[in-house]
Amino acid sequence: MRLPEHLELLLTDEPVLDVYAYGPWRVPDGLFEEVAARIDALAADPRAVDLTTDEHKLLTLPASLVTAEIFGILAFLPGGGAIKAGSWSQLPERLLNRHLVNPGPLSTRMTRWDAPGGRWRPPVDWLVEAPDRELAIELARECLGVLEGIEPLDERRRALLRLYDDPPACDVNLPKMELREHWHAHADDAAVASIPELLGPVGYLEWVCAGLLAAYEHLTNVAPREESVESHLIQLLLQGSLEHVPAELAVALGEDRYRELQQRFSGERRGFKAGAWQEQTRAWLVRALVSGAADACRAWLDMSMRFVAIVQGLPGDPWFPKAEWIPVGQFQTDLRRLYAPRRHVVNPLIEELRVTSGAVAEPAARPELATSLVGQPEVTAALDELTRGKEPVRLLLTGPDGTGKRDAAQELGKALALGRDPLWVTDNLFSGQRLSDAVAKLHADARDCAGDRLLIIEGLDGVVADPGNGEALAAELHRLLAVHPDLQLVALCDTGGDERIREINPVLPQRFRIARTRPFDAGGHAELFRRALDKHGVRATRHAIEAAGALLEATPPTQTLRNARLAPHLADQVVAAVRARTADGGELVVRKQDIPETLDTAQSIGNPLAELRDLTGLETVKHEIALLVAGTHAARLRGESGLRITPPTRHMVFTGNPGTGKTMVARLLGRIYRRLGVLSSGHLVEASRAHLVGEYIGQTAPRTRRLVERAIGGVLFIDEAYTLTQSPLKGDYGHEAIAELVKLMEDHREDLVVIVAGYQQEMAEFLAANPGLDSRFPKQLHFPDYTDDELLTVFEQLAAADGFRMADGTQEVLRSMLRRAPRGPSFGNGRLMRNMLDVAVANQADRVASAAVTAKRAERKGDKPPRMPSKKELITLTAEDLPPLLDHPEEFFGLYL
């Protein structure tokens, strides 16, 4: 199965500009640098050097009118709403980089794409500001001239040049919109054929619809789809967020089809879901792709994107599409996934079945590698293959955390017996660095290891997926593997890491032998448990080991306690119990009854619902959580009865002042949901702005992903979440963290609850900062301030938990202090009680210690000593132990918060 020859360039790592209407084009070395130099020279031309504007939002001000004109031309030349893709598709960033006010990182990722709107104006767009229209047209023509050599744009560029050479006979000083109509009418058929936008919005829409219907008909012939043409057009309109059928389609499609669309639009709209449509369309394109219709797929994508751009821009020109549900990026990924060269590994079943059918398999030429890995046959086979081969080791290990990837890398390092110990490098060493520093480190590590040292990169998928430097580092690593043919390299990745790398750099994974680890089954866990017992010097019965394996397989992981790390955790608990029941000197033997029925990886004991009920105050919160619990029970009953259930979104907002129990309730809620089977572990991960937001470009999204990964199976509690949107700094990354969080919340909604907390007003502003936030948090619980009586109860409970009691009269003194304390947003509630208790305990310790010292001193002098503090006095807090009653209550917070 091969791609058409002209598309095979998309499977390389060459610099490619892929305008879909033209096809992939290899950018000649040095061409873009030459074009950029031409642009700079034109901007510095004496005729243009003084022509500037202070209005452009993307160019450094004052901006040259020439560069502003070229910026607009670059958006228009690919086509109105046309798809522009490829590893070198960022034309403004590459050709006008030094003129941009905020140039972004240059991408070399082949899956990158965009669809600029590119409206056409007369050849005096920004140059209309020039005092002389004749000069404006002359410079506009030269702006097109400096772009010569970019072949995918050249046909349209030359058509515009012909227009400029033969302008319409009209006053060049007319307003732009009137000039535009003259130019449209003056364009000949050849110009319109190359630039259909000259037909005007309705004419261009008609041209796009004709191409769209032709592409759709071709694709449905090779990959049938159960929908009518009318349904297909309506779904594209809905994908473009349109709320009605544009009247212009009556011209573009004909009145009969237009009326059909109008009649069916409301019904189609009610059941339309953009995400589901996108996935169905992606699958349809894949079927057409493997049927040999790659070019037709690209034509349909291009026309669909233009269709969305023009209908969104009506009654004006096509503009940047406001939605991107058309699966362009997914199609490009699928194209490489299906057609990129792959290694082939012989399945051992071929030889095994050949033996059973009477054929004699050839004996193994060399012994297998001795390895201690458990339950990882694919990795074991890869290690055996690499240690027996003569080629340099290039191994990519991908799989869940705790499945032996590090052990495999270490064993490979020992088996290779190179001159030095392996060099371990993690993705954190590259995070947040400047690109030049990160590349320099990668080069230094490669030079250091080439020939006599194994280089192990842990988290290679994280390195290349870094939005700041990842693509450049992936390309650099690919070069280093060619520059250092004797470099031995092992890369470790999470599950699916090879696919994430392939999306960034399709060629890089081809340089590696890929092996995948897998979660352990009951037998694998049993063997790991037996080995963990061996380290304790304890043996176990066969039934005990089997029971441990079954228990570990059923145990949900929590944070980093997962897979192979579960067995030592269980072994520690079991061995401690066996030691406790075994007489001194007796043999330690683990029996089946020593294996617990469940393994609590979250290390939580007790009944969380009872603990919630016992909390002071919070009656409204308790009632709301009781409703959530009841809803979960009811959903389970419906499911057991065979009824359809839709899992609710369980993310929540907690509002309230400090110390009102928000964190405590979040922790209990995680345990409650675990008991109900909603969450797999129920642990709590506490976070703040500092845990999510990075200091440099590229840090925030990976940092947010790592935090969410720690919380999967439990509750992620983000305190003072509103700080993510309140930074006064320009370019703050808080909104990037929110965007990444919103996506991850949806990806892991089945086994993750996110709770954001903070002051009530600030949290309302936080939810309004991102369009997707409010809908992601359907439940909002307010935690009111404690009353004085509730605070007294909290103080007593905290004191009792620390082993103290309160003397008579102490409560009234404390109540008097609370009555005078100002109640504002900074009031500490339960946290204030904790701090006051600490002060009281310190004062009480000073009092009883002084009394004891005085008694001992009197005893040494022979005086009648005062009585030593009694046991009851040692645990009693009196009114004099409390903090002093202040003359100025506003000082209350400064001392005790």
Side-chain angles (χ1 to χ4, degrees):
M1 188 170 67
R2 288 176 60 94
L3 274 179
E5 185 175 348
H6 67 280
L7 296 181
E8 289 188 349
L9 190 61
L10 297 175
L11 306 179
T12 70
D13 61 347
E14 299 289 336
V16 173
L17 172 60
D18 181 18
V19 177
Y20 270 31
Y22 179 88
W25 177 67
R26 204 275 189 193
V27 179
D29 295 338
L31 174 64
F32 278 13
E33 291 79 3
E34 179 186 337
V35 173
R38 293 182 209 152
I39 294 172
D40 292 344
L42 181 58
D45 188 288
R47 296 169 298 161
V49 70
D50 293 326
L51 302 179
T52 62
T53 179
D54 290 324
E55 300 297 326
H56 207 289
K57 296 180 180 179
L58 300 177
L59 297 176
T60 303
L61 302 180
S64 165
L65 293 182
V66 164
T67 55
E69 178 80 3
I70 292 174
F71 193 100
I73 290 173
L74 288 173
F76 172 73
L77 282 181
I83 296 173
K84 172 167 61 73
S87 57
W88 278 43
S89 58
Q90 295 168 283
L91 296 180
E93 290 84 350
R94 291 188 178 276
L95 301 180
L96 298 170
N97 188 272
R98 77 177 193 86
H99 299 281
L100 299 178
V101 65
N102 188 24
L106 292 177
S107 170
T108 57
R109 185 162 52 95
M110 194 68 77
T111 53
R112 191 204 169 277
W113 68 279
D114 60 58
R119 63 176 61 183
W120 185 82
R121 302 178 180 88
V124 283
D125 183 4
W126 283 93
L127 288 165
V128 72
E129 302 292 337
D132 181 353
R133 285 292 177 92
E134 294 287 351
L135 174 62
I137 294 179
E138 179 183 345
L139 289 175
R141 192 190 187 289
E142 295 191 30
C143 286
L144 287 168
V146 299
L147 299 178
E148 182 180 5
I150 306 176
E151 289 186 13
L153 312 180
D154 213 44
E155 180 185 351
R156 289 165 63 88
R157 184 189 70 87
R158 285 186 280 106
L160 285 179
L161 280 174
R162 291 194 299 272
L163 267 180
Y164 289 17
D165 289 339
D166 181 24
C170 64
D171 183 3
V172 295
N173 293 307
L174 288 173
K176 280 200 293 186
M177 294 308 296
E178 292 186 32
L179 270 177
R180 172 186 173 131
E181 297 301 322
H182 284 287
W183 284 86
H184 282 184
H186 185 68
D188 60 21
D189 290 343
V192 172
S194 299
I195 310 173
E197 292 92 331
L198 295 176
L199 296 168
V202 176
Y204 184 53
L205 176 62
E206 185 175 14
W207 182 87
V208 169
C209 287
L212 175 62
L213 294 178
Y216 181 76
E217 181 181 359
H218 183 92
L219 286 181
T220 52
N221 285 335
V222 297
R225 193 174 187 182
E226 294 181 0
E227 64 175 6
S228 66
V229 173
E230 288 75 18
S231 291
H232 187 69
L233 291 171
I234 290 173
Q235 289 169 351
L236 278 174
L237 291 172
L238 293 171
Q239 179 277 334
S241 303
L242 266 73
E243 298 180 356
H244 64 278
V245 180
E248 291 83 352
L249 285 174
V251 178
L253 297 172
E255 292 183 7
D256 291 341
R257 179 163 280 171
Y258 170 72
R259 282 195 293 269
E260 178 75 8
L261 295 182
Q262 281 190 311
Q263 292 171 5
R264 300 174 58 174
F265 187 84
S266 297
E268 294 272 359
R269 184 181 183 185
R270 282 194 294 271
F272 180 77
K273 293 184 179 179
W277 180 86
Q278 182 196 42
E279 290 303 316
Q280 293 167 3
T281 303
R282 178 183 184 178
W284 172 57
L285 291 174
V286 168
R287 287 189 285 117
L289 186 62
V290 299
S291 299
D295 285 317
C297 290
R298 287 163 55 89
W300 178 87
L301 288 167
D302 192 45
M303 290 297 114
S304 295
M305 192 60 70
R306 291 178 191 245
F307 179 82
V308 171
I310 185 61
V311 295
Q312 288 183 345
L314 290 171
D317 299 300
W319 201 232
F320 294 87
K322 298 176 184 177
E324 293 183 355
W325 284 100
I326 293 178
V328 179
Q330 293 91 328
F331 170 79
Q332 295 179 156
T333 298
D334 290 334
L335 184 144
R336 284 184 293 278
R337 179 171 60 87
L338 293 170
Y339 289 93
R342 294 184 301 277
R343 298 187 183 190
H344 296 278
V345 179
V346 176
N347 192 313
L349 284 176
I350 296 175
E351 295 299 327
E352 293 175 14
L353 296 177
R354 190 177 295 168
V355 171
T356 59
S357 64
V360 179
E362 296 181 3
R366 298 176 185 177
E368 294 185 359
L369 172 74
T371 176
S372 61
L373 294 179
V374 174
Q376 305 298 344
E378 185 175 342
V379 177
T380 302
L383 295 182
D384 181 61
E385 173 188 323
L386 292 171
T387 51
R388 289 190 289 110
K390 296 181 180 180
E391 296 297 320
V393 168
R394 307 282 171 80
L395 176 62
L396 182 65
L397 293 173
T398 176
D401 198 20
T403 50
K405 292 177 292 186
R406 294 187 185 91
D407 291 340
Q410 289 173 336
E411 290 188 358
L412 183 58
K414 292 177 182 178
L416 293 175
L418 299 174
R420 292 182 290 163
D421 290 338
L423 173 64
W424 287 79
V425 178
T426 68
D427 56 342
N428 289 328
L429 295 174
F430 297 96
S431 178
Q433 289 198 44
R434 293 183 303 175
L435 178 59
S436 57
D437 294 337
V439 170
K441 173 172 175 50
L442 188 62
H443 274 262
D445 291 339
R447 285 194 305 271
D448 179 55
C449 295
D452 63 347
R453 193 176 193 184
L454 178 64
L455 175 60
I456 303 173
I457 301 180
E458 191 167 355
L460 179 61
D461 51 339
V463 173
V464 303
D466 185 294
N469 298 334
E471 296 174 12
L473 289 174
E476 207 64 35
L477 179 59
H478 179 258
R479 295 188 190 96
L480 287 171
L481 291 173
V483 171
H484 300 287
D486 55 349
L487 175 63
Q488 317 249 23
L489 175 62
V490 175
L492 311 184
C493 303
D494 288 334
T495 304
D498 54 327
E499 290 300 324
R500 284 190 290 275
I501 295 173
R502 187 171 284 109
E503 290 176 3
I504 304 299
N505 189 312
V507 182
L508 185 56
Q510 298 175 25
R511 303 296 187 187
F512 291 89
R513 165 71 158 86
I514 299 175
R516 297 170 178 81
T517 61
R518 63 189 186 190
F520 299 101
D521 57 14
H525 278 297
E527 174 59 20
L528 292 169
F529 180 72
R530 186 194 63 76
R531 294 185 184 186
L533 292 181
D534 288 344
K535 293 182 179 179
H536 285 282
V538 177
R539 70 179 183 88
T541 65
R542 178 172 59 85
H543 294 297
I545 291 176
E546 291 175 353
L551 169 63
L552 292 171
E553 185 183 32
T555 299
T558 175
Q559 294 182 278
T560 57
L561 188 57
R562 56 184 63 239
N563 294 313
R565 297 167 191 155
L566 288 169
H569 180 73
L570 175 62
D572 291 343
Q573 295 183 17
V574 170
V575 169
V578 171
R579 282 202 174 102
R581 68 164 173 78
T582 304
D584 292 343
E587 183 184 11
L588 298 177
V589 180
V590 177
R591 306 187 185 281
K592 184 176 180 180
Q593 55 267 31
D594 296 317
I595 306 300
E597 292 185 3
T598 60
L599 179 60
D600 186 7
T601 54
Q603 298 183 342
S604 57
I605 58 175
N607 185 342
L609 284 169
E611 293 179 37
L612 179 65
R613 286 194 298 270
D614 292 340
L615 290 179
T616 301
L618 304 177
E619 298 306 322
T620 302
V621 173
K622 294 175 184 177
H623 175 69
E624 291 292 337
I625 292 179
L627 292 178
L628 294 175
V629 172
T632 303
H633 281 305
R636 178 177 297 168
L637 291 174
R638 294 188 193 101
E640 291 172 352
S641 300
L643 299 175
R644 180 181 178 183
I645 58 173
T646 301
T649 300
R650 295 187 172 87
H651 309 304
M652 285 183 254
V653 179
F654 286 1
T655 61
N657 291 331
T660 48
K662 298 186 292 294
T663 306
M664 185 184 308
V665 170
R667 182 175 286 106
L668 290 173
L669 188 62
R671 292 170 54 195
I672 290 170
Y673 274 150
R674 188 200 173 192
R675 286 170 64 96
L676 296 173
V678 172
L679 296 176
S680 59
S681 67
H683 66 284
L684 180 77
V685 174
E686 295 184 56
S688 63
R689 172 187 168 88
H691 293 90
L692 290 99
V693 179
E695 300 174 9
Y696 309 101
I697 293 175
Q699 279 188 322
T700 297
R703 185 177 288 189
T704 303
R705 282 196 297 272
R706 285 194 292 268
L707 181 68
V708 170
E709 287 167 0
R710 284 177 50 208
I712 291 174
V715 173
L716 174 59
F717 182 79
I718 304 176
D719 201 9
E720 297 182 344
Y722 52 84
T723 59
L724 293 171
T725 61
Q726 289 186 342
S727 174
L729 300 176
K730 182 180 179 182
D732 180 70
Y733 306 123
H735 288 277
E736 180 185 349
I738 292 173
E740 186 70 17
L741 181 65
V742 166
K743 176 183 180 299
L744 294 169
M745 287 166 58
E746 190 64 26
D747 291 345
H748 302 289
R749 67 192 303 260
E750 298 296 329
D751 200 20
L752 174 70
V753 172
V754 176
I755 299 176
V756 291
Y759 295 110
Q760 192 167 15
Q761 179 60 38
E762 284 81 351
M763 290 306 295
E765 296 171 358
F766 166 74
L767 293 176
N770 183 295
L773 273 179
D774 196 38
S775 62
R776 296 304 197 284
F777 294 98
K779 177 67 69 175
Q780 299 188 24
L781 301 184
H782 180 64
F783 288 65
D785 286 344
Y786 288 106
T787 65
D788 289 352
D789 288 339
E790 290 171 344
L791 289 173
L792 287 173
T793 303
V794 169
F795 189 92
E796 289 181 336
Q797 290 174 339
L798 292 172
D802 289 350
F804 291 94
R805 57 180 293 273
M806 297 176 68
D808 294 340
T810 307
Q811 282 189 337
E812 290 308 313
V813 175
L814 183 57
R815 189 189 303 275
S816 175
M817 296 179 68
L818 292 174
R819 194 176 299 122
R820 298 184 59 191
R823 297 291 184 101
S826 299
F827 186 72
N829 289 289
R831 193 176 304 161
L832 174 63
M833 294 299 95
R834 175 78 263 175
N835 294 341
M836 291 186 68
L837 176 63
D838 291 341
V839 174
V841 170
N843 290 340
Q844 191 260 12
D846 180 66
R847 176 171 58 81
V848 297
S850 297
V853 170
T854 301
K856 289 182 179 179
R857 186 178 296 131
E859 184 178 4
R860 285 197 299 269
K861 292 181 178 180
D863 299 335
K864 182 178 180 182
R867 183 175 57 84
M868 292 286 288
S870 67
K871 183 176 180 181
K872 182 178 180 180
E873 290 172 329
L874 290 174
I875 61 170
T876 300
L877 300 176
T878 66
E880 63 182 290
D881 297 325
L882 294 174
L885 190 62
L886 301 174
D887 293 331
H888 300 283
E890 64 272 10
E891 299 176 12
F892 196 78
F893 294 135
L895 290 179
Y896 308 124
L897 289 184

